[in-house]
Amino acid sequence: MMKETQPLADASLRPHVLIVDDRADNLFAYKAALKKLDCDTAIVSSGADALHKLEKQEFALVLLDTDMPGMDGFTTLQKIKTHPQLQHI
């Protein structure tokens, strides 16, 4: 049986999750799955947007689609791993 999580009293302590996907149906499914967790989610639809978002805000988790037009998820991950500010992700 899964135990319900209690919301953190201080919202600033909640983990931030970045969801990167170009398909609306996948984004909907990710949001629904994460709803039970006490976290804040941000959504972007491209690798380039993900990199910009990651430079501005810290995230505990990135859910990254690998099959996207333009910059795919593998290229996005490579750029994250070689970026000095983002290598810890």
Side-chain angles (χ1 to χ4, degrees), residues 36-49:
K36 290 185 179 183
L37 301 178
D38 190 23
C39 64
D40 292 322
T41 56
I43 295 175
V44 295
S45 59
S46 72
D49 289 343

Side-chain angles (χ1 to χ4, degrees), residues 47-66:
D49 289 343
L51 292 172
H52 287 116
K53 193 78 166 168
L54 288 165
E55 289 174 343
K56 294 178 181 176
Q57 184 178 351
E58 191 163 325
F59 290 90
L61 175 68
V62 178
L63 297 175
L64 180 60
D65 181 18
T66 57

Side-chain angles (χ1 to χ4, degrees), residues 77-89:
L77 180 59
Q78 182 179 32
K79 289 184 179 289
I80 290 169
K81 288 299 189 183
T82 58
H83 191 291
Q85 183 182 342
L86 306 176
Q87 289 176 343
H88 66 281
I89 296 174

